[in-house]
Amino acid sequence: MELQNTVKEALNALYHHPDDSVRMQADRWLQDFQRTIDAWQVSDNLLHDATSNLETLIFCSQTLRSKVQRDFEELPSEAFRPLRDSLNTLLKKFHKGPPKVRTQISIAVAALAVHVPAEDWGDGGIVKWLRDEMNSHPEFIPGFLELLMVLPEEVFNYKIAARPERRRQFEKELTSEMEVALNILTACLNINELKEQVLEAFASWLRLRHGIPGAVLASHPLVLTALSSLNSELLSEASVNVVSELIHYTTAGSSGGASVQIPLIQVIVPQVMNLKVQLRDSSKDEEDVKAIGRLFADMGDSYVELIATGSDESMLIVHALLEVASHPEYDIASMTFNFWHNLQVNLTKRDAYLSFGNEASIEAERNRRLQVFRSSYESLVSLVSSRVRYPEDYQDLSYEDLKDFKQTRYAVADVLIDAASVLGGEATLKILYMKLVEAVASCGNEEHNEWRPAEAALYCIRAISNYVSVVEAEVMPQVMNMLPKLPHQPQLLQTVCLTIGAYSKWLDAAPGGLSIFPSVIDILMSGMSISEDSAAAAALAFKHICDDCRKKLCGSLDGLFHIYHRAVNGEGNFKVPAEDSLHLVEALSMVITELPPDHAKKALEALCLPVVTSLQEVVNQGPEILDKKVAREFTVHIDRFAYIFRYVNHPEAVADAIQRLWPIFKAIFDVRAWDMRTMESLCRACKYAVRTSGRFMGITIGAMLEEIQGLYQLHHQPCFLYLSSEVIKIFGSDPSCANYLKNLIEALFSHTTCLLKNIREFTARPDIADDCFLLASRCIRYCPQLFIPSAVFPSLVDCSMIGVTVQHREASNSILTFLSDIFDLAKTSPGEQYQSIRDTVIIPRGASITRILIACLTGALPSSRLETVTYALLALTRAYGMKAVEWAKDCISLVPLTAVTEVERTRFLQTLSNVATGADINTLTVSMEELSDVCRRNRTVQEIVQGALRPHELNLAPVS
């Protein structure tokens, strides 16, 4: 009683106390209470207590539902029957509501049935028990109906702490009782006020996708009731749900698929088609129209393969879907978008035609189908293209509304791409070009308010750019001629610039391409001057043009440099944001790549000059001032160097540039080594210099390695490890660099292992852990001869054992990948010769590593890491065979049988034995997932398993 009163007081405080801190304290207490064993009895008592208020009833019903789902194993086996009877009594008590409480009790009973096999439940299992209860107590049917509805939903509810085997068994129990369930629902149809609830329950049972023959369902009273309800004045949501589920049911593999379900399809389709006239009925409620649109979209998605044959019947459905696509409400029209994509895939992919035999027949059938659907996709282009138009009040749109508008435009662009795949880019372009011509006619230079139709048409033309041939000579020249005549309204100009960039390949191939360039460049320069958004678009377009037309632009470097200097130095009225100026750096870099080496070297100097000048000015201010500056004053310039080194593909010229720049870089390394952002930027620039220059770097690489090796000891910047990783990749196999690299990796790893001595330090420094083990994996791949025989290898393995359970995703994945790479050493020819050294390190630690990995599999790491953990464990088993199976056997035997049964252990060990004897790893992951599910089924079990395996106590104690 005392605890019951405390629960009531805590709930009162949670909902009514004015003090936030008191409410939080009450909330915490209630959450802790829900985890206790007393929560069972207290919640049950309060639910039976006639004086409990609504807040108490809702809380206690949620608690009881949660306890049944998650903590049923806490109860002794003899508690099942009293619990079932109590829940049954509560279901009857709340049969008229409150609905929230009744739903929670229903879910609790259904969850109980998931845990308890039909033979233990008694009365022939829950469905027959429910039928008998409804026959004995017809006054409580509404409550029982809700239970019947939630029962099949619980098959797929993974909150229930049932073992995978029991979950599968429960699904079989329900599917075997499908006929009984449908008979109950059919009997309840006679109660008029319950019709909606009956249909909802029927929809729920259909989701089990159990194979009832189409002929049976086609004449079933429940199906006929749902279909007849479609035509009633008030469209029933439940009947729409049933018909939607029936449509999905007819194509589900488990129900035999469309061919077996033809009798049912022939009943459904005409009834849904009758609703077509209501799509245009202005008196119809929008929600009703949305429901009708959903049924057409469901038919389209489910029967797309039948529709793709282009029969007369299927074209009726296509015309109905065009009707839905034309609806003024985007939410309704967009329901069809998935269908148009799937239809396009069916019409264009070769697999759909294989049954037609030879190539000639395949091609003939493909062309026939494409012709059949041509007019539908032409109509679709016209219908959707207007939806991308900016609204008149676009300037007043909230951030969320603007985000939604952008998402709409992306979705329409995808539909246009589907249309272009069917019609061909040129045919789609012609339709959109006519829209542009109309729009431009009404777009006088002064009338900025009429820019929106032209912008919309151009957005669509840009969307299909990849589908328009580069030699298209009819429409694109006219589009390009129109662009300079359009007003310089910011949004319109932004789209004009992006369209130019999208057609850069066409510009390169166009016979008169060079004559178009001046007007195109003028537009881009205007774009850079109007607004930040249009400037960003112009910079991106400039990059695409320089990328695709680089050979043609080699002779125009002076003009390109003029634009580049203005943008980078912020001269004149250019408004290019610093991040977007990187597009211009990349653009010039790609043109310079096309130059012969001697010209390229001079051009590279010119490209670096404004950046060097700006950075030198900063560095010249002396160490004290440098130390106080914000990182951005450095990174804005260093990032430009990164782009130059990445995209100027002249190794010697880049090596020469980095050598001349090294004194400036060194000065920044020395003064700003404490500053992570500046160091990341600088290391990125050095990484690209190393990647492009390779072995031309000469003495600079030595100076660079010396610098980061020394600074890492002092400042522990993860990016120093990441830069070293790139160096290892390029120089790892170079014998002349062996001493340098051996010293580097030994210094970096020995220092890192000193930093990461326990799991708390891994948690505090996940970036260092991530980059350290990425570097270690690189060493295994590129210089095993330096790394595996070194003194740091064993200590790094020990370090990985400490940190593998770190919760940081990237760090944990890097450590697991490192371990997998060690186990897979024999898969690479350079690694094979170091197997014996590896074994002397791994075998003494094998039992501990196995136990840690099994702990990770069973709950020490989140289930999202399961794939990586599984691979590491299976790779260990593949490498060490039956020895690894013995390690696993010793380990799994520590887990109490209450958590993992003997059968589950045996299945897991059998999988490992199969791997040890050469089975394919990819076929054996299911039993790993099942062990993981079993051990994570609730918090108590997870704690028992982790308490038995104790991964954190093993790390550094090698087990022989």
Side-chain angles (χ1 to χ4, degrees):
M1 279 301 293
E2 193 181 329
L3 200 47
Q4 285 173 212
N5 289 332
T6 311
V7 168
K8 287 182 179 178
E9 286 165 16
L11 284 165
N12 191 48
L14 177 67
Y15 289 108
H16 305 292
H17 202 284
D19 188 336
D20 280 354
S21 63
V22 172
R23 287 205 301 274
M24 281 174 67
Q25 197 177 343
D27 188 34
R28 271 196 302 272
W29 187 88
L30 288 164
Q31 284 183 34
D32 291 340
F33 161 75
Q34 286 180 310
R35 295 192 192 108
T36 64
I37 192 114
D38 292 326
W40 288 98
Q41 192 65 60
V42 171
S43 299
D44 189 63
N45 290 350
L46 286 170
L47 283 164
H48 286 282
D49 185 345
T51 65
S52 293
N53 62 17
L54 182 60
E55 288 160 0
T56 306
L57 292 175
I58 289 173
F59 172 78
C60 291
S61 62
Q62 286 173 338
T63 301
L64 203 51
R65 181 262 304 153
S66 166
K67 294 299 280 182
V68 175
Q69 285 180 331
R70 307 296 298 169
D71 301 322
F72 179 64
E73 289 178 56
E74 287 180 345
L75 300 177
S77 56
E78 62 271 15
F80 155 65
R81 191 73 56 175
L83 176 61
R84 188 192 79 173
D85 294 344
S86 177
L87 287 169
N88 187 15
T89 305
L90 291 170
L91 201 57
K92 291 170 183 172
K93 177 183 175 182
F94 297 114
H95 76 282
K96 287 186 177 172
K100 282 182 179 176
V101 177
R102 186 180 68 196
T103 299
Q104 295 300 313
I105 303 296
S106 299
I107 295 171
V109 179
L112 189 61
V114 178
H115 288 295
V116 179
E119 58 271 20
D120 295 341
W121 185 279
D123 307 308
I126 187 167
V127 180
K128 289 194 175 85
W129 170 82
L130 192 50
R131 178 194 61 193
D132 297 345
E133 284 288 328
M134 289 169 94
N135 287 337
S136 309
H137 306 283
E139 70 275 24
F140 300 128
I141 280 176
F144 289 130
L145 256 184
E146 179 152 19
L147 171 56
L148 193 60
M149 182 177 82
V150 299
L151 257 181
E153 291 168 5
E154 296 311 287
V155 169
F156 310 106
N157 183 356
Y158 286 88
K159 286 181 183 170
I160 299 175
R163 292 177 146 89
E165 188 58 46
R166 173 60 203 145
R167 197 182 293 283
R168 287 192 288 269
Q169 194 184 350
F170 177 64
E171 186 173 1
K172 282 178 189 164
E173 288 169 9
L174 285 197
T175 50
S176 68
E177 298 295 344
M178 174 79 91
E179 199 176 328
V180 179
L182 298 195
N183 288 342
I184 296 171
L185 292 172
T186 306
C188 292
L189 274 177
N190 300 323
I191 309 168
N192 207 38
E193 61 271 23
L194 293 181
K195 190 183 283 186
E196 193 83 350
Q197 209 178 337
V198 168
L199 290 176
E200 285 293 2
F202 180 38
S204 180
W205 278 83
L206 284 170
R207 286 183 199 112
L208 284 177
R209 308 276 188 262
H210 177 58
I212 304 175
V216 173
L217 277 177
S219 57
H220 199 286
L222 289 164
V223 173
L224 299 177
T225 302
L227 289 170
S228 64
S229 300
L230 289 181
N231 299 311
S232 62
E233 192 58 40
L234 280 167
L235 187 66
S236 142
E237 187 184 341
S239 61
V240 170
N241 288 340
V242 168
V243 176
S244 175
E245 289 303 331
L246 283 168
I247 291 167
H248 294 306
Y249 181 90
T250 56
T251 54
S254 54
S255 72
S259 55
V260 177
Q261 298 292 342
I262 288 294
L264 181 55
I265 293 173
Q266 287 171 336
V267 171
I268 296 169
V269 173
Q271 292 289 346
V272 177
M273 290 303 293
N274 288 341
L275 300 172
K276 184 182 168 188
V277 292
Q278 297 185 32
L279 288 168
R280 293 198 168 216
D281 184 346
S282 55
S283 65
K284 269 284 172 193
D285 178 70
E286 192 183 305
E287 286 305 309
D288 285 355
V289 178
K290 194 177 276 189
I292 294 166
R294 175 185 150 204
L295 289 178
F296 279 112
D298 282 343
M299 272 200 323
D301 290 339
S302 298
Y303 305 141
V304 68
E305 288 181 18
L306 295 172
I307 292 169
T309 59
S311 65
D312 292 345
E313 296 89 342
S314 70
M315 292 313 291
L316 294 173
I317 298 177
V318 172
H319 294 144
L321 284 160
L322 278 171
E323 194 84 43
V324 179
S326 70
H327 195 278
E329 276 300 318
Y330 173 75
D331 285 350
I332 294 171
S334 62
M335 287 176 176
T336 66
F337 288 3
N338 199 47
F339 163 74
W340 300 114
H341 172 71
N342 289 334
L343 179 60
Q344 173 269 122
V345 170
N346 260 280
L347 293 173
T348 55
K349 72 174 181 185
R350 197 172 177 281
D351 295 1
Y353 301 96
L354 292 178
S355 60
F356 288 90
N358 61 41
E359 286 300 322
S361 304
I362 286 174
E363 195 57 28
E365 178 61 17
R366 188 171 179 276
N367 290 337
R368 182 193 74 78
R369 291 188 185 186
L370 289 172
Q371 196 56 43
V372 168
F373 289 98
R374 192 164 193 84
S375 64
S376 301
Y377 274 95
E378 285 171 348
S379 302
L380 182 67
V381 171
S382 294
L383 286 173
V384 299
S385 57
S386 59
R387 295 192 184 272
V388 301
R389 188 181 298 184
Y390 269 91
E392 285 187 33
D393 62 344
Y394 77 96
Q395 286 173 314
D396 303 324
L397 292 181
S398 67
Y399 173 78
E400 282 304 316
D401 287 342
L402 197 57
K403 199 169 152 189
D404 289 345
F405 174 60
K406 284 182 178 177
Q407 289 302 325
T408 299
R409 281 166 64 109
Y410 297 149
V412 169
D414 287 341
V415 175
L416 290 170
I417 286 168
D418 290 324
S421 300
V422 173
L423 301 171
E426 286 76 3
T428 314
L429 178 64
K430 280 180 185 169
I431 299 168
L432 296 171
Y433 173 64
M434 295 315 295
K435 299 254 179 197
L436 179 64
V437 170
E438 281 172 42
V440 170
S442 64
C443 182
N445 274 346
E446 301 307 313
E447 294 180 65
H448 278 197
N449 61 329
E450 280 306 309
W451 58 270
R452 295 176 306 115
E455 191 281 335
L458 273 177
Y459 177 88
C460 295
I461 287 171
R462 174 190 156 216
I464 60 161
S465 60
N466 288 341
Y467 295 81
V468 176
S469 166
V470 294
V471 294
E472 200 284 329
E474 190 183 336
V475 176
M476 276 315 298
Q478 297 179 67
V479 173
M480 287 294 173
N481 286 335
M482 275 185 183
L483 299 184
K485 298 166 190 164
L486 294 173
H488 286 180
Q489 192 282 337
Q491 277 75 20
L492 175 57
L493 187 55
Q494 182 182 357
T495 302
V496 167
C497 291
L498 291 170
T499 305
I500 289 169
Y503 283 91
S504 55
K505 286 185 171 65
W506 180 88
L507 280 169
D508 183 49
L514 273 175
S515 62
I516 302 172
F517 275 128
S519 62
V520 162
I521 298 295
D522 281 347
I523 294 171
L524 298 186
M525 287 179 74
S526 299
M528 289 183 203
S529 312
I530 295 289
S531 72
E532 282 203 359
D533 285 343
S534 66
L540 183 62
F542 194 77
K543 179 189 87 170
H544 288 310
I545 288 173
C546 287
D547 184 8
D548 291 319
C549 312
R550 54 176 84 182
K551 285 188 168 67
K552 286 185 176 170
L553 292 173
C554 284
S556 310
L557 266 180
D558 289 346
L560 298 179
F561 268 120
H562 173 66
I563 297 169
Y564 166 72
H565 280 283
R566 283 182 66 182
V568 168
N569 295 330
E571 292 170 5
N573 55 353
F574 273 19
K575 295 177 179 170
V576 184
E579 287 77 13
D580 297 295
S581 71
L582 293 171
H583 291 314
L584 296 167
V585 177
E586 185 180 340
L588 268 289
S589 300
M590 289 187 291
V591 176
I592 290 170
T593 293
E594 288 304 308
L595 298 174
D598 51 336
H599 289 180
K601 195 171 179 185
K602 287 177 189 163
L604 179 57
E605 285 172 18
L607 188 61
C608 291
L609 187 61
V611 192
V612 176
T613 307
S614 304
L615 198 56
Q616 187 73 62
E617 282 171 12
V618 178
V619 171
N620 287 347
Q621 292 172 35
E624 283 185 24
I625 295 173
L626 279 188
D627 199 47
K628 295 189 178 77
K629 284 189 175 292
V630 293
R632 186 168 170 74
E633 289 192 47
F634 299 95
T635 59
V636 73
H637 307 300
I638 298 168
D639 287 346
R640 286 169 182 161
F641 278 127
Y643 269 63
I644 291 169
F645 298 153
R646 183 178 183 179
Y647 293 106
V648 173
N649 194 5
H650 279 284
E652 286 188 72
V654 170
D656 187 52
I658 188 77
Q659 190 176 343
R660 281 183 286 106
L661 282 166
W662 179 247
I664 297 177
F665 279 20
K666 187 179 186 315
I668 299 169
F669 267 125
D670 289 342
V671 178
R672 301 283 296 196
W674 53 270
D675 169 19
M676 183 180 278
R677 279 195 61 201
T678 303
M679 287 302 102
E680 282 179 349
S681 177
L682 199 50
C683 285
R684 196 180 307 117
C686 289
K687 176 186 87 168
Y688 287 122
V690 169
R691 192 178 285 180
T692 301
S693 305
R695 294 188 165 86
F696 288 106
M697 277 198 76
I699 57 168
T700 317
I701 191 71
M704 195 184 286
L705 296 182
E706 202 175 308
E707 186 76 13
I708 59 172
Q709 189 175 320
L711 290 173
Y712 182 68
Q713 318 276 341
L714 300 170
H715 298 284
H716 319 135
Q717 295 287 7
C719 55
F720 295 157
L721 298 168
Y722 148 92
L723 174 54
S724 304
S725 228
E726 193 62 35
V727 172
I728 291 292
K729 185 178 174 184
I730 306 291
F731 296 98
S733 58
D734 187 341
S736 66
C737 299
N739 280 341
Y740 259 132
L741 296 183
K742 188 170 184 298
N743 292 338
L744 174 74
I745 59 179
E746 286 186 357
L748 295 178
F749 287 141
S750 57
H751 191 71
T752 305
T753 52
C754 291
L755 290 175
L756 303 172
K757 286 194 166 173
N758 55 54
I759 193 67
R760 288 184 304 282
E761 286 169 349
F762 273 87
T763 305
R765 305 171 185 269
D767 293 344
I768 286 186
D770 179 22
D771 284 317
C772 166
F773 287 98
L774 282 174
L775 173 60
S777 280
R778 278 267 168 97
C779 290
I780 292 171
R781 269 178 237 131
Y782 294 102
C783 57
Q785 75 283 3
L786 302 179
F787 177 51
I788 291 169
S790 73
V792 291
F793 178 60
S795 54
L796 207 59
V797 171
D798 288 334
C799 187
S800 73
M801 291 164 67
I802 297 170
V804 71
T805 55
V806 67
Q807 297 303 294
H808 187 274
R809 188 181 63 215
E810 283 82 8
S812 164
N813 279 343
S814 295
I815 298 168
L816 287 164
T817 304
F818 164 69
L819 287 169
S820 300
D821 287 343
I822 295 172
F823 307 146
D824 285 340
L825 197 62
K827 288 171 79 176
T828 61
S829 50
E832 254 182 311
Q833 56 194 297
Y834 302 105
Q835 250 181 283
S836 59
I837 301 174
R838 174 200 70 178
D839 293 349
T840 59
V841 175
I842 298 297
I843 290 172
R845 296 166 174 79
S848 294
I849 292 174
T850 306
R851 193 159 142 190
I852 291 167
L853 288 174
I854 290 175
C856 292
L857 185 77
T858 55
L861 283 177
S863 52
S864 56
R865 315 279 154 76
L866 207 56
E867 192 179 334
T868 323
V869 175
T870 298
Y871 183 82
L873 185 57
L874 295 178
L876 173 72
T877 310
R878 184 168 55 192
Y880 291 101
M882 294 314 292
K883 194 178 284 174
V885 177
E886 284 303 313
W887 294 333
K889 191 175 179 183
D890 293 344
C891 162
I892 206 79
S893 68
L894 299 170
V895 179
L897 289 168
T898 52
V900 179
T901 64
E902 196 57 56
V903 172
E904 287 158 347
R905 285 180 186 183
T906 306
R907 195 180 295 142
F908 169 68
L909 292 170
Q910 185 57 52
T911 297
L912 294 184
S913 298
N914 293 344
V915 173
T917 52
D920 178 12
I921 277 181
N922 296 322
T923 62
L924 299 167
T925 54
V926 174
S927 69
M928 297 286 167
E929 287 168 14
E930 295 218 337
L931 180 73
S932 177
D933 282 350
V934 163
C935 295
R936 296 170 192 264
R937 62 187 185 272
N938 64 29
R939 185 188 294 226
T940 309
V941 171
Q942 197 163 332
E943 284 169 1
I944 289 168
V945 173
Q946 293 304 308
L949 296 174
R950 301 191 312 282
H952 294 305
E953 293 173 27
L954 302 173
N955 343 107
L956 286 173
V959 180
S960 56

